[in-house]
Amino acid sequence: MTTAVCVDVGSTYTKAAKIDLDGARLIRRAEVPTTSATDVLHGLDAAVAAVGGGDELRVCSSAGGGLRLAVIGYEALVTAEAGHRVGLSAGAQVVHVAAGPMSGPGLTRLRAARPDVLLLVGGTDGGDGEVLLHNARRLAAARIRLPVVLAGNADVRDEALAVLTARGVPVTPAANVLPRIGVLDPLPARAAIRDVFLRHVIGGKRLSRGRRFASLVRAATPDAVLAGVEALADRTGFGILVVDVGGATTDVYSALVPDPESETGPRRDVAGTLWRARTVEGDLGVAAGADGTRAAAVAEKLPEPGDDRDLAATAAVVALRRHARGRPGLCDVRLLLGSGGVLRHGGGERVLGAVLSDVAGGWAPPDRARTVIDEQYVLAAAGLLSADHPAVAGELLSNSIRYEM
């Protein structure tokens, strides 16, 4: 039997799952506290030992706050919005979005957001390239040393790349996120952001001494989970909505069946439609994020949460409202999947019930969705396996999440 151990190093807990690659089944899972105060490898090694080790080791991480991304674009409702959507789908917490020519105050706001990576976009291919070049020059002159993913107008990409690299800014070029109005191309920029995260961010978090941890991590945890959600959607063929309530953040994932009318018809979104999407709410959680959840309850006119299950339900409702507003198609979702410690330990019915009964949040909850809890926490594991073992990832999801309609 060939096995793989998939580990998610979270801000609070480190979760390990041992997978039988031949039978596409979960053998054993374990959960230990994340050892951020000393060295995250201590907790990682303990989790791996708890499941008995394996032939392969695959790791994702959101420890140390995960990946903080700033997006700099051309127009707020077009390329900046497209970049924002791509950043979220890449497993990043988007902490700042700017549009138009950057100014001195704009640079001050950018620095105050403390991003790990910048996504510089602007212009469709063959369109106006002046704003992209202006922003590249401004970043270079400001001696911004953060890594930059450059994914704007292809006609001026080489010139912008030369401007930035001449001042020592680390740059990773990628295809334009919005090559034409209404056409969103997220995959090249997503891959570039993932590469920058692995090369520049993980080591810079000072989560571990030495280089072993950085060499093990393959993705930001939300990126791995989104890959798992995509694998599940491909397997089922229907729309899926996932809410993952953690101690510090609450993440929402949606994988919808494309609507041709939204792609080419009069309802077309000028920033493009992202049918596989993710949002992260860094102010919503049940532990470190509890105060943010309580504040959000007041802002959204929801009852004050009491225990952890109330906090999780409130975090899920607010996160779904933020994810769903302005995003079509969620009312047709057939599967609502819940994840997170509170849901796995008995709170799933209350949390998902609150989501489906939320009729005052500015979106139409799905009325035909089956609710399921990711009891065995296999979405991240499936995502980590999906690139090299796609069939195993699909079978693992089928064997572990009972979603039959």
Side-chain angles (χ1 to χ4, degrees):
M1 180 173 62
T2 306
T3 61
V5 176
C6 300
V7 183
D8 169 18
V9 182
S11 297
T12 308
Y13 289 98
T14 295
K15 288 84 68 177
K18 185 171 182 176
I19 310 298
D20 170 11
L21 296 179
D22 301 317
R25 63 185 181 92
L26 176 68
I27 300 171
R28 191 177 299 117
R29 69 177 304 276
E31 189 172 294
V32 303
T34 296
T35 50
S36 299
T38 54
D39 189 315
V40 292
L41 278 174
H42 298 157
L44 190 156
D45 289 339
V48 172
V51 298
D55 300 300
E56 299 181 14
L57 178 59
R58 295 163 182 265
V59 180
C60 59
S61 175
S62 59
L67 170 58
R68 296 171 60 87
L69 183 78
V71 178
I72 303 168
Y74 177 19
E75 295 174 304
L77 295 179
V78 187
T79 53
E81 176 61 21
H84 188 186
R85 296 176 188 181
V86 169
L88 289 171
S89 77
Q93 179 182 356
V94 179
V95 296
H96 181 75
V97 179
M102 293 198 72
S103 61
L107 284 167
T108 300
R109 289 190 291 271
L110 173 64
R111 288 192 171 100
R114 298 180 297 104
D116 299 313
V117 179
L118 306 182
L119 175 59
L120 180 58
V121 299
T124 54
D125 289 344
D128 185 354
E130 285 306 309
V131 173
L132 180 63
L133 289 174
H134 169 91
N135 289 338
R137 295 183 188 113
R138 197 73 199 237
L139 291 171
R143 299 188 180 277
I144 295 286
R145 290 295 177 263
L146 295 171
V148 173
V149 172
L150 176 61
N153 186 340
D155 288 22
V156 297
R157 186 186 304 130
D158 289 347
E159 187 176 350
L161 178 64
V163 166
L164 290 163
T165 55
R167 291 296 187 97
V169 179
V171 186
T172 301
N176 194 350
V177 299
L178 195 75
R180 300 188 304 281
I181 291 294
V183 177
L184 188 62
D185 183 16
L187 295 183
R190 264 181 67 176
I193 292 169
R194 182 185 305 118
D195 180 62
V196 169
F197 174 73
L198 298 178
R199 286 190 291 117
H200 295 281
V201 178
I202 284 290
K205 294 284 186 181
R206 303 186 185 279
L207 298 169
S208 178
R209 304 177 184 90
R211 299 181 179 179
R212 179 171 163 243
F213 179 65
S215 70
L216 290 174
V217 175
R218 293 174 176 240
T221 298
D223 194 27
V225 175
L226 181 59
V229 173
E230 290 174 332
L232 181 58
D234 290 341
R235 188 136 186 118
T236 64
F238 48 70
I240 295 173
L241 191 57
V242 178
V243 57
D244 185 356
V245 183
T249 69
T250 297
D251 298 347
V252 179
Y253 306 80
S254 56
L256 306 179
V257 178
D259 174 12
E261 183 75 8
S262 296
E263 294 279 10
T264 59
R267 291 186 293 160
R268 181 182 65 168
D269 189 333
V270 294
T273 301
L274 203 59
W275 298 106
R276 308 288 173 86
R278 169 195 165 270
T279 49
V280 60
E281 306 302 338
D283 62 331
L284 302 176
V286 297
D291 287 345
T293 301
R294 294 188 181 95
V298 174
E300 294 281 344
K301 297 180 173 56
L302 294 169
E304 181 179 354
D307 61 14
D308 281 356
R309 293 184 181 183
D310 280 346
L311 282 167
T314 301
V317 166
V318 175
L320 259 297
R321 287 182 176 186
R322 294 175 182 176
H323 180 91
R325 288 167 181 160
R327 183 172 277 114
L330 293 181
C331 61
D332 298 324
V333 160
R334 298 289 304 282
L335 176 65
L336 173 60
L337 181 62
S339 186
V342 173
L343 285 80
R344 289 195 300 275
H345 294 102
E349 183 176 348
R350 187 191 303 184
V351 173
L352 298 186
V355 168
L356 291 178
S357 62
D358 180 35
V359 295
W363 72 294
D367 57 6
R368 296 185 301 147
R370 178 175 180 180
T371 58
V372 180
I373 305 301
D374 182 13
E375 298 277 4
Q376 299 179 322
Y377 196 72
V378 295
L379 280 172
L384 285 169
L385 293 170
S386 62
D388 297 329
H389 304 286
V392 174
E395 285 290 334
L396 174 65
L397 291 164
S398 293
N399 293 336
S400 303
I401 298 174
R402 301 303 178 186
Y403 55 81
E404 292 85 356
M405 295 297 173

